[in-house]
Amino acid sequence: MHLRDLPHPDPGVPDVRTGGAFLRWLCGQQLGGQLKALAWGLLNVGAIAASPLPVGLAVQAVVDRDGGRLLLAGGLLLALGVLIAVGDTMLHRVTVTNWISAVARMQQLLARKTTELGSAMTRRVAAGEIVTVSTGDLEKIGWFVEALSRFAASALITVGVAVTLAFYQPELGILVALGVPVLALAVLPLLPPATRRADTQREKAGRATELASDTVAGLRVLRGIGGEELFLGRYRSASQEVREAAVRSARMWSLISAVQVLLPGLLLIAVVWYGTRLALDGTIAVGDLVTIYSAVAFLLSPLRHFEEIAQAYSFAKPSAKRTARVLAQHRPAGGRTEDRGTAPSGTLHDPVSGLTAPAGRLTAVVCGDPDTAGRLAERLGGHPAQTDEEDNDRTALSVVLGGTPLDDLPRDAARSAVLVQDKDPMLLSGTLGELLDVPGSGQVAAADALAAAQCGDVLTALAQASADDSGDPMRTYITERGRSLSGGQRQRLALARSLVTDPEVLVLDEPTSAVDAHTEARIADGLRTLRTGRTTVVLTSSPLLLDRAEQVVFLQEGKVVAAAPHRELLHTHPAYRAVVTRETDPEPALSAGQTEEPA
């Protein structure tokens, strides 16, 4: 795998049963890169491990005053130095490539899942958890993928060195061969408490991140009710909990590091003490003692990789568990076909609420509850809701278009048939021409869509702000999220973009909430004219839009309770009148089943 090959043509289908299963799947996808890293790691670590041999040979050559062996030792050291340099360079390149490839694969998987679920993602998984997964968790998993090959190479070479020493000098080699496993396994009892403390730290950090993101998202509301200090105090408390958990986790990891320094040091002291006695007795030569000492000193480096992989795994496992939980979310329906024929057309029906939008007509929907309206818009867009009953997930029925469930269509076909514009549409940075350059039927020109959305004043303002002398508003740059525009201007441009796509069914959630009444009335007329013969569903409680709709459907508690023209519902349905006219007297709303004589 080369970085120039990114993004992956197909990131694959991950095993998301558990965090461990996801890690195994991810490493399996990186098998080729891991084998390359292992090969270069064996070359690099093996050359380092072989360095004590020419060092001992050189020392013994000096003792014996043998210039030939000294020259041979120098040549061996030079050759091993070249191998170490080449191995280290290539190992670094391959491991970093593995890290980036693994992170890129996970980013593609998350992007694909986010695209599949849309805004339903944040209702199934906390926003803070999504932020944690997409930032810190991917980095920790990538660290484990990167460290795995280095650890494998170090482990193999360590075993090889210990076995070689046992044959080279049995008196000292057996001591080293017995001591190395003890050193490697000494920290195992400390890993479970260290992992638990690290998990606690990450959980507290995730909650703090979620609290911060929720606070920022609701900052305007908090300022309005004077709740800034309250939430600031909550965040201070959460951040202090994160700090305390981080300190407790760091103490345990520092203890593990101390053990990894202390025990090898004791082994080195024992080898030197025993080896010196053997050398004084004449049992071993001075060069052999230097070789064994250098080999034991070398073993301190691979042992640090043991600590690294233990720490990387302890961090990666909960991160993989969170990532797998996010990737395990899915659309509740499972009958999606692969036939990419023409998208269906006809009446749009939601079996959950009972809403039916006749083909080719403008239907307005009044919910009274913004959350209910948002969930209905998502269902109409092909994202069936899930309900929890007695702790069991029960899948809601799919929306049906022209007799075909949207969940039986390929995702692209379903989304080309039904387009949903939510109440807070996103404007990407770029020129106005680029904003309106979206896939569509080609039957609605950008100028017609802008006119229907009443964007005349927006075009004038953009023409005046044009960076060139042409004064062409289509070439004027719009900043990220449309921050250079007012709320009403952003809303109208987003509506124009939706109109340009000209889908079979267009669902609009409060498309005129940020404009004045006169503009709203003109938008309603333009929308009805431009969408003639197309199915349009508008979720709104605005009387101006409702009066121009061919049919108005009224929902209470998520179910259709009435369907008729706006004026008829005003006279015959008190609960509808209470929602639309914002009546403060609750009595009419309580008598939803009663009727009145038309005025």
Side-chain angles (χ1 to χ4, degrees):
M1 181 66 190
H2 300 282
L3 295 183
R4 61 176 174 267
D5 298 327
L6 296 178
H8 299 280
D10 180 11
V13 179
D15 186 345
V16 294
R17 293 173 298 173
T18 62
F22 178 72
L23 282 179
R24 289 191 296 272
W25 174 86
L26 185 62
C27 292
Q29 297 298 306
Q30 304 284 126
L31 185 59
Q34 292 290 352
L35 292 177
K36 288 181 181 179
L38 177 61
W40 289 114
L42 290 174
L43 176 65
N44 174 247
V45 182
I48 296 175
S51 298
L53 184 61
V55 170
L57 182 63
V59 171
Q60 191 62 43
V62 172
V63 172
D64 297 339
R65 298 181 181 276
D66 188 339
R69 278 191 294 166
L70 183 61
L71 184 61
L72 175 62
L76 289 175
L77 283 174
L78 179 61
L80 290 174
V82 172
L83 292 178
I84 291 172
V86 172
D88 185 57
T89 301
M90 296 305 299
L91 175 63
H92 179 73
R93 290 187 59 177
V94 176
T95 54
V96 170
T97 299
N98 288 341
W99 185 90
I100 295 176
S101 299
V103 171
R105 187 182 301 277
M106 291 184 289
Q107 287 175 334
Q108 287 181 245
L109 291 172
L110 288 171
R112 185 173 68 183
K113 184 59 62 176
T114 303
T115 303
E116 176 187 344
L117 294 179
S119 58
M121 171 78 83
T122 54
R123 288 214 306 269
R124 301 181 183 183
V125 183
E129 184 170 359
I130 297 175
V131 172
T132 301
V133 168
S134 59
T135 54
D137 283 341
L138 298 191
E139 181 179 354
K140 293 179 177 65
I141 297 173
W143 176 27
F144 172 76
V145 171
E146 176 197 9
L148 186 60
S149 54
R150 291 201 305 269
F151 162 73
S154 297
L156 292 175
I157 296 299
T158 298
V159 173
V161 169
V163 172
T164 302
L165 286 177
F167 284 98
Y168 179 70
Q169 280 294 340
E171 295 86 350
L172 288 175
I174 293 176
L175 174 63
V176 174
L178 294 176
V180 168
V182 174
L183 298 181
L185 301 176
V187 297
L188 289 183
L190 300 176
L191 288 179
T195 302
R196 287 194 296 269
R197 292 189 181 188
D199 291 344
T200 301
Q201 175 195 349
R202 282 187 290 272
E203 289 175 3
K204 292 182 180 295
R207 287 197 293 268
T209 302
E210 182 178 353
L211 178 61
S213 62
D214 290 345
T215 302
V216 171
L219 189 58
R220 181 176 299 177
V221 177
L222 292 177
R223 286 175 176 171
I225 63 176
E228 295 172 271
E229 288 300 324
L230 174 62
F231 276 80
L232 182 59
R234 291 182 180 178
Y235 183 74
R236 284 197 187 104
S237 177
S239 63
Q240 287 303 312
E241 291 181 2
V242 174
R243 181 188 64 80
E244 293 172 0
V247 170
R248 294 185 71 249
S249 178
R251 286 173 180 167
M252 183 58 68
W253 286 111
S254 64
L255 176 60
I256 293 176
S257 298
V259 171
Q260 291 282 40
V261 172
L262 175 63
L263 294 183
L266 293 177
L267 176 63
L268 193 59
I269 292 173
V271 169
V272 171
W273 176 79
Y274 187 52
T276 303
R277 293 191 59 183
L278 293 176
L280 291 176
D281 294 340
T283 305
I284 64 174
V286 174
D288 294 335
L289 176 61
V290 172
T291 299
I292 295 176
Y293 170 81
S294 301
V296 175
F298 153 78
L299 291 176
L300 302 183
S301 177
L303 287 174
R304 283 195 289 270
H305 288 301
F306 282 70
E307 177 190 354
E308 180 191 19
I309 195 64
Q311 188 172 5
Y313 180 73
S314 68
F315 278 90
K317 185 176 181 180
S319 296
K321 183 178 179 181
R322 274 194 298 268
T323 305
R325 184 163 58 244
V326 173
L327 294 177
Q329 303 299 319
H330 59 87
R331 295 171 61 94
R336 198 171 293 279
T337 65
E338 295 299 328
D339 182 12
R340 295 182 176 270
T342 58
S345 60
T347 298
L348 182 70
H349 176 68
D350 174 31
V352 176
S353 64
L355 170 66
T356 298
R361 300 179 65 184
L362 174 59
T363 301
V365 181
V366 178
C367 295
D369 179 11
D371 292 336
T372 301
R375 289 192 293 270
L376 175 59
E378 288 183 0
R379 286 202 306 275
L380 295 178
H383 294 286
Q386 283 183 327
T387 58
D388 294 332
E389 293 185 355
E390 299 178 355
D391 298 329
N392 293 320
D393 281 345
R394 181 173 59 84
T395 301
L397 299 176
S398 171
V399 169
V400 178
L401 176 60
T404 303
L406 289 184
D407 290 316
D408 286 346
L409 296 174
R411 186 182 303 112
D412 294 342
R415 291 185 176 174
S416 64
V418 181
L419 173 67
V420 177
Q421 176 181 304
D422 61 25
K423 65 183 63 178
D424 187 22
M426 178 74 68
L427 297 184
L428 302 179
S429 59
T431 65
L432 178 58
E434 292 171 340
L435 175 69
L436 298 178
D437 185 17
V438 293
S441 65
Q443 298 180 11
V444 177
D448 296 334
L450 290 168
Q454 299 299 308
C455 295
D457 62 320
V458 184
L459 296 178
T460 302
L462 291 176
Q464 295 173 351
S466 178
D468 53 30
D469 298 330
S470 65
D472 184 2
M474 303 300 289
R475 300 173 62 181
T476 303
Y477 189 82
I478 298 175
T479 58
E480 181 186 0
R481 294 177 178 266
R483 291 191 175 95
S484 57
L485 306 171
S486 68
Q489 290 174 329
R490 288 195 299 270
Q491 197 172 57
R492 282 177 283 164
L493 287 179
L495 176 59
R497 179 180 60 186
S498 299
L499 293 175
V500 167
T501 61
D502 190 34
E504 182 66 31
V505 178
L506 177 61
V507 180
L508 304 172
D509 188 2
E510 295 289 355
T512 58
S513 59
V515 301
D516 59 77
H518 295 289
T519 304
E520 187 176 31
R522 292 195 295 269
I523 290 176
D525 292 332
L527 179 64
R528 180 167 180 172
T529 301
L530 191 65
R531 292 287 299 172
T532 299
R534 293 290 204 182
T535 306
T536 307
V537 180
V538 182
L539 285 77
T540 182
S541 59
S542 167
L544 293 171
L545 285 173
L546 297 173
D547 191 42
R548 286 159 175 78
E550 297 172 76
Q551 173 183 264
V552 177
V553 179
F554 180 47
L555 273 67
Q556 281 188 312
E557 298 182 355
K559 301 294 184 181
V560 173
V561 295
H566 167 62
R567 295 176 185 268
E568 179 180 337
L569 287 176
L570 279 179
H571 292 297
T572 61
H573 210 291
Y576 174 82
R577 183 172 62 247
V579 172
V580 173
T581 62
R582 278 77 168 177
E583 291 182 2
T584 57
D585 183 6
E587 291 301 323
L590 296 176
S591 55
Q594 300 177 4
T595 59
E596 294 181 353
E597 293 296 328

